[in-house]
Amino acid sequence: MKKQIPVRQRPRQILLVVSLLLFPVTMNYLSPYVVIDGAIQGILAASPIVFGIQFLSALVLGRAYCGWVCPAGKLQDLCVDFNNQPVNGRKIDWVKWAIWAPWLGTILFFLVKAGTSLRVNPLHLTETGVSVDSPLKFVNFYAVALIFLLIAGLAGRRAACHSICWMAPFMILGKKLGDALRIPRLRLRAEEEKCTNCMTCTNHCPMSLPVNEMVKVSDMENTECILCGNCVDGCTKKAIQYRFGQAK
Ligand code: SF4
Ligand code: SF4
């Protein structure tokens, strides 16, 4: 029998599919390579500007970008039919920070070195505005797609989000700063008394979070939550809801 998609999950899935179809256009604007190449030449490319927007968006939307818009996230979701194993987040989550810190340090070094000669060029390496505008660039595109597919296919649900994503740390830090400044943002709330511990939420969380345990202690804050709403829409007891507000 065909699985019914909850009403709220339909626009999310449409957004993700559109984003994935546009990935050949947008790839460079999200690229960890273009930013480095630009910084070495004293150029601020589009991708660091996008990372800054992601950081600011996380102040009020947390990691909703990852759950609702990210093309690489949708690519990994396609692997669930082959490998739906949960990922052991506590270990793998640190890998992305170990990659991200020296990567960001290198970028900042070259941007500071450029000093006043720094130029802004959002079309750096993307002169036509389209990231994949020649047959040769399809090789890069397929290589990037293959990396995400392989990691999720081999290691489990959205494993690349946990392990190699260079954008996630910007949003995690944005969330933390927003909470420190008491800025209201989109979050989850749980009513633990409604929970029957059926585990549906945990079994369907794309980020492999122990959602039922989070509900039990009424603490839905987790740096890896991408606010996809699978748990909200999947819980027949309505024990989890979205809320917009400050940290407790
Ligand atoms: S799906 Fe709902 S009832 Fe089931 S464990 Fe999760 S919160 Fe509890
Ligand atoms: S806890 Fe819920 S909203 Fe967060 S990633 Fe898991 S299923 Fe999505």
Side-chain angles (χ1 to χ4, degrees), residues 126-139:
T126 321
E127 288 72 19
T128 62
V130 175
S131 304
V132 182
D133 58 2
S134 70
L136 195 61
K137 288 187 182 169
F138 266 105
V139 176

Side-chain angles (χ1 to χ4, degrees), residues 159-177:
C161 298
H162 290 275
S163 59
I164 63 159
C165 182
W166 55 95
M167 295 179 278
F170 289 107
M171 287 174 269
I172 292 171
L173 292 177
K175 273 172 72 166
K176 293 210 176 281
L177 178 67

Side-chain angles (χ1 to χ4, degrees), residues 165-241:
C165 182
W166 55 95
M167 295 179 278
F170 289 107
M171 287 174 269
I172 292 171
L173 292 177
K175 273 172 72 166
K176 293 210 176 281
L177 178 67
D179 286 352
L181 297 175
R182 306 287 299 158
I183 296 173
R185 75 166 155 83
L186 189 64
R187 312 168 181 276
L188 299 178
R189 138 175 100 206
E191 292 178 74
E192 69 274 22
E193 66 282 359
K194 291 185 179 173
C195 176
T196 56
N197 210 26
C198 69
M199 301 281 287
T200 302
C201 49
T202 298
N203 291 338
H204 291 97
C205 175
M207 295 301 283
S208 311
L209 302 181
V211 191
N212 66 311
E213 290 172 23
M214 291 156 63
V215 169
K216 254 188 254 166
V217 294
S218 206
D219 179 4
M220 302 304 286
E221 292 302 323
N222 189 301
T223 52
E224 297 302 319
C225 174
I226 57 172
L227 293 171
C228 66
N230 268 357
C231 56
V232 178
D233 295 319
C235 176
T236 54
K237 304 297 174 194
K238 304 283 173 229
I240 308 170
Q241 297 105 32

